């Protein structure tokens, strides 16, 4: 049997991926949209559905950013509701470690796991700015160098809480009158840099023992954290060579934590555009790119690099000849763009601007065309057969274990992939014809009991 | 100001595990081994919905209530239970409990808005102040006993205020999808809430658009003045305990409590709809009063002690319950929230026997007249506080 592909469906978040002006684009907030999207992914036998989180509306130039689809539900809440209208598909949500407390997060995820019969997953992220903190009790209290520490301690603490109930602790034996085997079930005391908590964790051990843990991170620190503590890792490396390198690097780190290579799944994010012919697919992709990067969006993207108002720049003209403003660090409160993680990619805005300018001059591209070239590339473009072949090649050549697919239309955007690509992957024998297990851990081919270890020790 | 009155009584059921008697889990049919599954909760709420009840509440606490091995230990997050049930029910209001002392108002606001979206307008929330030292230790953020009760209730009022402002922070028509200008929203219709209080400050706007009801229904359980005041300041419904016992002693009869509640409403200058006041009653039901008393005696013996409750305990027939509800109604209460001693036994008695009995007396609906929780109480969908007229 060929190596098995793992697929996740990402309900698009609040960025320019979603072509909201398309007549096929529906509500981004009504439950019906989520139901339809989740059921399509389940029809396609996907491993899991993924939802990112929002904690503050993004701003640019001191105003709420209004060009992208925006407004979303609380993601764990909507995943829980989706558990009622799906049966097998995993339910994964991002939950921030900065503006939540471990007891509350661990309780919610354990509840999601119980009330979905073992389908919960947590994408652990750290928050990075005071801007977001303005919506929460703690405010912007966390120094930069403590963010990773807090995430690690949050995860280690959550794991300690989940493990505080042994399997089979609840006996509920009416005759003998014993509800739990041990009245100390759930007892814990944790003291660490970030937390000082004790008592009894209120949720008995959930069907998966621990929800599946996901991390995103391409940095050295992120890779090491994931190798120790995650069951799956999200990455941007969706190119074959870069993918192979990342894959080999991360998998090689597992052994020192006593884990096997297959205990951590590597899942790059990917977009797709299909067509009946290669030419049609390419034309479709071009159209989607132009829709995703309209004239206003092109200017907005350029402003994130130049860190200044560019409303008088013509998006159909050349890349601006002047240099970006560099005095404000992207993490400082003074940057033009707030609440947008991607801006952190532009560590050297002058170099980025030069790169853009050179590309524009070399190929005679307008600013908008350069932005499209830099930000609008689709991962898979082609006929269903071509896309299926490419995905299979990636996985069989150890460039990934599968993909997190994000469509550009809500809620029907996953349907073409499910209807046209999935059957071809199934024919190859590299993707399941039907679910074999009931839990997400089983879908992902993970060992029944968690193999993850805490990246930091908390005194428990 | 006030919308058309709903005839008859409003009837709610308070769900808590297998029931409000600590020995309830040992009863035949209690399904204690399924307590942590979705099916257990879906079946209970469907039973309540079959009786056309206005709403169910879900109890919650971060702490485990008992260290006794013969008592239920552990519980799931009440908001997520409501969300699990939402898509597979159609009319009944779903009201999870939220502890204001240890939670983020921003998270709670978006979670309840999400419940409202997932149920197309049936969400409510019951706010509760933390009174258990164990809960403080589980969070490790503040020390138990260092803040007075007034301050904790003020924080709860602020919590409600932030939830409500966030619900209104997106005007209903904020989403414009204007392809010509490339704008998805009209940001003039998104609002910073700029709340600043003693316990937290919240900038806004919400990440979640205005929910279907505009404002989901906010509720609280109250036994004492400070809690009546909280309800008068911020909730739509209040659950009270006529003939029960609060922290400060006996709570008084329905009429006396109602006068206290109305006095608090006047004192805080409440505007808009007056509070809907529902009386709590813990019920142990059977075909005769003797049989019901025998049931309770058996349950008490199993547990090894007499059942204690802040709410009045009624041990009797559905006709006895109907009599109490009718007298409360006469005293001016809007209805009742019943706490079944054993859910598997007493909830079907409520839906299949008490409800028909109340109908015979002309006190209860024969069909749902609305499909939102606000609608069940005749509460209009409120205007957005930030919208320019």
């Amino acid at each position: 049997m060929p190596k098995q592909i793992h697929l996740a469906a990402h309900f698009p978040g609040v960025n320019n991926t979603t072509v909201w002006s398309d007549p096929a684009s529906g509500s981004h907030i009504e439950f019906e949209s989520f139901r339809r999207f989740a059921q399509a992914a389940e029809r396609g036998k996907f491993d899991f559905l993924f939802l990112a989180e929002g904690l503050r509306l993004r701003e640019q130039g001191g105003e709420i950013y209004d060009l992208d689809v925006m407004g979303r539900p609380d993601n764990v809440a909507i995943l829980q509701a989706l558990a009622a209208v799906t049966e097998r598909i995993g339910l994964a949500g991002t939950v921030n470690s900065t503006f939540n407390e471990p007891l509350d997060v661990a309780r919610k995820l354990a509840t999601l796991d119980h009330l979905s019969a073992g389908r919960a997953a947590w994408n652990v992220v750290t928050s990075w700015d005071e801007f977001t903190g303005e919506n929460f009790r703690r405010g912007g209290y966390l120094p930069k160098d403590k963010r990773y520490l807090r995430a690690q301690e949050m995860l280690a603490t959550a794991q300690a809480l989940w493990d505080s109930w042994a399997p089979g602790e609840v006996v509920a034996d009416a005759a003998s009158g014993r509800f739990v085997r041990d009245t100390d079930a759930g007892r814990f005391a944790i003291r660490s840099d970030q937390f000082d908590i004790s008592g009894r964790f209120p949720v008995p051990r959930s069907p998966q023992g621990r929800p599946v843990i996901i991390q995103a991170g391409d940095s050295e620190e992120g890779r090491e954290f994931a190798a120790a503590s995650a069951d799956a890792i999200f990455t941007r490396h969706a190119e074959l060579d870069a993918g192979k390198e990342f894959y080999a690097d991360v998998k090689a780190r597992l052994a020192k934590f006593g884990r096997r290579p297959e205990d951590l799944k590597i899942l790059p994010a990917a977009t797709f555009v299909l067509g009946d012919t290669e030419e049609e697919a390419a034309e479709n992709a071009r159209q989607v790119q132009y829709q995703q990067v309209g004239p206003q969006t092109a200017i907005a993207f350029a402003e994130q690099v130049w860190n200044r108002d560019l409303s008088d720049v013509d998006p159909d003209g050349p890349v601006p000849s002047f240099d970006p403003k560099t005095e404000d660090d992207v993490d400082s409160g003074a940057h033009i763009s707030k609440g947008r993680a991607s801006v952190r990619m532009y560590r050297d805005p002058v170099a980025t601007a030069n790169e853009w300018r050179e590309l524009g001059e070399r190929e005679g591209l307008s600013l908008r065309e350069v932005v499209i070239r830099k930000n609008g590339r689709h991962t898979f473009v082609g006929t269903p057969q071509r896309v299926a072949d490419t995905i299979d090649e990636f996985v069989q050549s150890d460039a990934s274990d599968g993909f997190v697919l994000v469509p550009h239309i809500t809620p029907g955007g996953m349907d073409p992939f499910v209807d046209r690509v999935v059957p071809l992957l199934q024919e190859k024998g590299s993707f399941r014809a039907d679910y074999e297990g009931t839990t997400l851990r089983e879908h992902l081919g993970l060992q029944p009991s968690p193999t993850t270890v805490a990246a930091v020790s908390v005194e428990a | 100001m006030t919308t058309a009155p709903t005839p008859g009584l409003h009837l709610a059921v308070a769900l808590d595990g297998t029931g409000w008697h600590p020995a309830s889990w040992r009863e035949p049919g209690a399904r204690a081994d399924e307590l942590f599954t979705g099916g257990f909760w879906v079946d209970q709420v469907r039973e309540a919905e079959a009786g056309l009840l206005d709403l169910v509440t879900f109890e919650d606490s971060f702490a485990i209530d008992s260290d006794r091995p013969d008592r239920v230990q552990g519980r799931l997050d009440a908001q997520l239970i409501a969300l699990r049930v939402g898509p597979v029910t159609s009319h009944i209001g779903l009201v999870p409990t939220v502890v204001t002392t240890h939670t983020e108002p921003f998270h709670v606001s978006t979670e309840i808005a999400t419940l409202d979206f997932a149920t197309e307008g049936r969400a409510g929330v019951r706010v509760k102040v933390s009174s258990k030292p164990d809960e403080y230790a589980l969070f490790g953020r503040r020390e138990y006993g260092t803040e007075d009760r007034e301050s904790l209730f003020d924080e709860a009022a602020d919590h409600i205020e932030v939830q409500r402002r966030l619900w209104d922070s997106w005007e209903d028509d904020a989403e414009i999808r204007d392809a010509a200008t490339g704008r998805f929203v009209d940001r003039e219709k998104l609002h910073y809430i700029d709340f600043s209080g003693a316990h937290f400050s919240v900038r806004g706007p919400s990440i979640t658009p205005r929910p279907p009801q505009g404002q989901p229904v906010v509720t609280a359980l109250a036994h004492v003045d400070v809690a009546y005041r909280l309800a008068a300041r911020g909730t739509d419904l209040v659950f009270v305990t006529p003939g029960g016992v609060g922290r400060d002693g006996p709570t008084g009869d329905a009429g006396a409590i109602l006068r206290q509640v109305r006095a608090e409403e006047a004192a805080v200058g409440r505007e808009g709809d007056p509070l809907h006041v529902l009386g709590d009653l813990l019920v142990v039901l059977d075909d005769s009063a003797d049989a019901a008393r025998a049931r309770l005696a058996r349950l008490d013996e199993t547990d090894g002690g007499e059942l204690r409750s802040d709410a009045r305990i009624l041990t009797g027939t559905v006709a006895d319950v109907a009599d109490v509800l009718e007298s409360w109604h006469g005293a001016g209460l809007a209805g009742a929230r019943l706490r079944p001693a054993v859910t598997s036994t007493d909830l079907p008695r409520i839906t299949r026997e008490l409800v028909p009995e109340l109908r015979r007396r002309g006190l209860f609906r024969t069909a749902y007249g609305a499909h939102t929780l606000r609608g069940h109480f005749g509460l209009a969908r409120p205007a957005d506080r930030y919208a320019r007229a």
Side-chain angles (χ1 to χ4, degrees):
Chain A
M1 193 166 80
K3 182 180 165 194
Q4 292 298 293
I5 297 168
H6 298 283
L7 294 176
H10 179 181
F11 188 98
V14 291
N15 52 43
N16 71 319
T17 303
T18 299
V19 180
W20 53 257
S21 56
D22 191 299
S25 176
S27 171
H28 215 65
I29 186 69
E30 283 168 16
F31 183 66
E32 180 58 18
S33 287
F34 290 90
R35 188 190 62 76
R36 199 178 143 198
F37 188 86
Q39 290 180 345
E42 188 168 64
R43 184 158 51 83
K45 315 298 178 194
F46 276 46
D47 292 68
F48 62 94
L49 171 74
F50 171 62
L51 294 179
E53 85 179 330
L55 299 175
R56 176 135 189 209
L57 299 182
R58 299 170 307 165
E59 292 184 5
Q60 187 154 325
E63 292 190 290
I64 290 167
Y65 189 79
D66 58 2
L67 300 178
D68 293 341
V69 67
M70 58 193 286
R72 48 181 160 191
D74 178 271
N75 59 349
V76 173
I78 207 74
L79 289 169
Q80 185 63 82
L82 287 169
V85 294
T86 55
E87 291 179 354
R88 296 291 189 93
I89 192 164
L91 304 165
T94 300
V95 180
N96 186 286
S97 60
T98 311
F99 300 111
N100 286 290
E101 299 304 319
L103 190 284
D104 197 17
V105 172
R107 190 175 85 122
K108 281 201 188 304
L109 288 157
T111 298
L112 179 63
D113 204 42
H114 275 291
L115 295 181
S116 65
R119 298 188 278 144
W122 175 21
N123 177 35
V124 188
V125 301
T126 64
S127 193
W128 50 286
D129 59 355
E130 292 175 29
F131 176 72
T132 306
E134 287 180 355
N135 282 337
F136 298 97
R137 286 177 185 260
R138 286 193 188 261
Y141 75 102
L142 196 60
K144 202 167 162 183
D145 61 338
K146 294 256 171 155
R147 285 173 202 151
Y148 244 108
L149 178 69
R150 182 169 172 99
Q152 291 175 335
E153 289 192 0
M154 171 72 95
L155 181 54
T157 302
Q159 290 185 347
L161 297 181
W162 293 325
D163 291 348
S164 68
W165 284 76
E169 196 65 70
V170 174
V171 289
D173 181 18
S176 70
R178 215 161 173 92
F179 189 81
V180 287
R181 226 171 10 213
D182 178 0
T183 49
D184 258 347
R187 181 82 56 195
F188 71 91
I190 285 164
R191 252 166 215 82
S192 66
D193 185 79
Q194 292 290 309
F195 308 114
D196 181 0
I197 58 175
S198 61
R200 290 180 68 195
F201 183 59
V203 187
R205 194 174 188 83
S206 72
Q208 294 188 105
R210 298 175 193 163
V212 167
I213 300 300
I214 303 169
Q215 276 157 40
D218 292 333
S219 68
E220 170 68 25
E221 209 174 7
R223 292 177 193 205
E224 198 70 5
F225 185 14
S229 314
D231 298 301
I233 181 167
F234 290 163
T235 155
R236 286 198 300 269
H237 291 295
E239 283 148 13
L240 197 61
D241 289 335
K244 283 181 185 169
E245 204 176 303
F246 180 80
Y247 190 95
D249 177 85
V250 171
K251 295 270 183 177
R253 294 168 189 256
L254 287 157
K256 68 170 170 279
F257 300 107
R259 306 179 70 201
R260 308 171 309 168
E262 57 270 38
D263 291 337
L264 174 66
K265 302 301 182 209
I266 296 178
L267 303 173
T271 57
F272 61 91
V273 179
L274 304 177
D276 289 338
T277 63
E278 295 301 325
E279 296 70 32
E280 188 188 286
E283 175 55 23
N284 289 347
R286 201 186 69 84
Q287 280 181 22
V288 172
Q289 287 170 344
Y290 275 81
Q291 288 172 312
Q292 288 174 328
V293 184
Q296 298 90 349
T297 298
I299 293 297
F301 271 57
E303 286 180 342
Q304 289 158 25
V305 177
W306 267 260
N307 191 23
R308 56 192 282 178
D309 175 38
L310 297 178
S311 53
D312 54 351
V313 168
D314 178 6
D316 295 318
V319 175
S321 55
F322 48 85
D323 279 338
K325 228 171 97 190
T326 53
E327 53 267 39
D328 309 313
D329 180 67
V330 295
D331 283 329
S332 81
H335 197 273
I336 192 169
S337 174
K338 294 203 173 78
R340 185 190 289 270
S342 62
V343 173
R344 290 155 64 83
M345 292 189 309
Y346 307 129
R347 277 290 168 198
D348 185 351
V350 174
T352 303
N354 282 337
E355 218 178 283
W356 286 24
R357 215 175 284 123
E358 278 163 27
L359 175 65
E361 283 164 9
R362 193 168 62 242
E363 301 195 23
L365 303 177
S366 69
L367 174 61
R368 183 181 176 195
E369 288 164 333
V370 167
V371 172
I372 287 170
R373 195 71 78 77
K374 286 289 175 188
N375 293 284
R377 210 180 63 79
H378 290 282
T379 319
F380 304 121
V381 177
T383 61
Q385 189 66 56
R386 168 76 170 273
V387 170
D389 290 346
T390 310
I391 288 175
D392 196 41
E393 186 198 352
F394 253 89
V395 173
Q396 303 309 330
S397 64
D398 284 349
S400 81
D401 291 311
F403 290 94
V404 180
L405 295 166
V406 55
H408 55 268
I409 296 289
T410 307
M414 202 50 85
D415 295 9
F417 189 94
V418 166
D419 295 333
R420 303 181 68 189
V421 181
V422 165
L424 300 175
L425 295 172
Q426 289 168 330
E427 269 175 36
K428 290 173 190 285
S430 50
F431 188 66
R432 66 177 71 84
D434 200 354
Y435 292 108
E436 283 159 18
T438 58
T439 67
L440 176 54
R441 203 166 276 287
E442 289 171 303
H443 303 337
L444 288 170
L446 301 169
Q447 298 185 50
S449 39
T451 60
T452 47
V453 295
V456 296
S457 58
V458 289
E459 192 187 315
Chain B
M1 180 180 98
T2 312
T3 49
T6 314
L9 284 168
H10 294 287
L11 200 54
V13 161
L15 297 177
D16 186 14
T18 53
W20 287 77
H21 197 290
S24 59
W25 71 271
R26 298 175 67 176
E27 290 293 285
R31 297 170 67 187
D33 55 334
E34 297 175 53
L35 192 51
F36 305 103
T37 67
F40 176 87
W41 294 98
V42 169
D43 290 347
Q44 291 196 29
V45 177
R46 281 184 171 157
E47 179 67 36
E49 188 169 66
L52 310 187
L53 304 197
D54 292 75
L55 62 93
V56 291
T57 57
F58 303 92
E59 293 302 305
D60 207 355
S61 161
F62 289 109
I64 290 176
D65 303 324
S66 169
D67 283 339
R68 282 176 49 172
D70 63 339
R71 293 244 175 119
V72 167
Q73 321 232 341
R75 63 167 76 240
L76 301 176
D77 180 285
Q79 289 185 86
L80 295 183
I81 292 174
L83 279 145
R84 175 64 181 79
V85 169
V88 289
T89 51
S90 60
H91 285 80
I92 195 163
L94 303 174
V95 183
T97 299
V98 163
V99 176
T100 55
T101 316
H102 305 297
T103 55
E104 291 282 357
F106 190 90
H107 288 321
V108 171
S109 178
T110 59
E111 284 161 345
I112 297 299
T114 300
L115 178 62
D116 209 41
F117 277 106
T119 57
E120 294 177 327
R122 294 183 285 126
V125 58
R126 176 209 156 193
V127 296
K128 179 182 153 190
V129 168
S130 180
S131 59
K132 299 173 183 169
D134 287 1
E135 284 192 327
Y136 288 71
L138 290 169
F139 282 84
R141 296 281 308 274
R142 47 213 275 187
E143 210 173 315
Y144 178 77
T146 55
E147 292 163 275
D148 62 24
R149 234 199 301 181
E150 296 279 346
S151 165
L152 293 173
F153 275 85
D154 282 345
E155 179 185 19
D158 287 352
H159 205 291
I160 295 170
E161 176 67 13
V162 169
Q163 289 182 51
R164 289 190 179 282
R165 287 194 198 178
L166 287 169
W167 291 330
D168 276 352
S169 65
W170 288 56
E171 291 184 41
D172 290 317
D173 54 355
E175 186 179 314
I176 52 171
R177 296 191 186 227
D178 183 33
T181 59
R183 294 179 307 146
F184 183 77
V185 292
D186 177 355
R187 61 185 164 215
E188 299 300 313
K189 296 189 171 178
L190 302 178
H191 303 277
Y192 295 103
I193 69 163
D194 283 325
F195 180 87
S196 185
H199 292 86
F200 42 75
S201 299
V202 177
R203 176 88 163 116
S206 182
I207 55 153
T208 310
R210 195 161 190 247
Q213 293 184 102
Q215 293 275 313
V217 174
V218 181
T219 75
L221 168 65
H223 312 86
V224 292
D225 283 352
V226 66
Y228 298 144
R229 197 170 314 131
L230 170 68
R233 285 167 73 179
T235 78
D236 302 294
L237 260 57
V238 60
F239 305 115
V240 298
T241 55
V245 184
R247 189 192 290 253
D248 303 339
T251 50
D253 65 18
I257 291 173
L258 191 62
R259 281 190 294 279
Q260 281 177 281
V261 169
R262 298 295 179 226
E264 291 295 347
E265 289 178 68
V268 302
R270 181 183 174 96
E271 291 172 8
D273 298 288
L275 277 166
H276 285 266
V277 183
L278 275 65
D280 270 21
L281 193 62
L282 197 164
V283 294
V284 187
L285 302 173
D286 215 313
D287 292 334
S288 69
D290 283 345
R293 275 192 292 273
R295 254 190 84 210
L296 179 58
R298 186 169 52 74
L299 285 162
D300 283 351
E301 193 190 328
T302 303
D303 188 55
E306 200 176 319
L307 175 64
R308 295 158 60 98
S309 169
D310 56 320
R312 175 177 164 190
I313 300 168
L314 190 146
T315 310
T317 65
V318 294
D320 296 332
V321 177
D323 289 346
V324 171
L325 267 46
E326 201 168 353
S327 80
W328 284 358
H329 197 45
L333 298 197
R337 182 176 76 147
L338 303 180
R339 308 182 188 179
V342 179
T343 311
S344 56
T345 303
D346 295 301
L347 178 58
R349 289 267 185 188
I350 291 166
T351 54
R352 299 171 199 196
E353 297 175 25
L354 174 63
V355 162
E357 174 63 24
L358 291 172
R359 279 189 195 129
R360 272 191 291 279
R361 301 183 188 200
L363 287 171
F364 199 65
R365 65 172 69 90
T366 53
Y368 278 116
H371 55 83
T372 67
L373 180 51
R374 292 189 73 90
H376 296 330
F377 283 88
L379 295 167
R381 190 175 190 275
D384 189 308
R385 73 192 63 196
Y386 298 109
R388 282 179 214 99

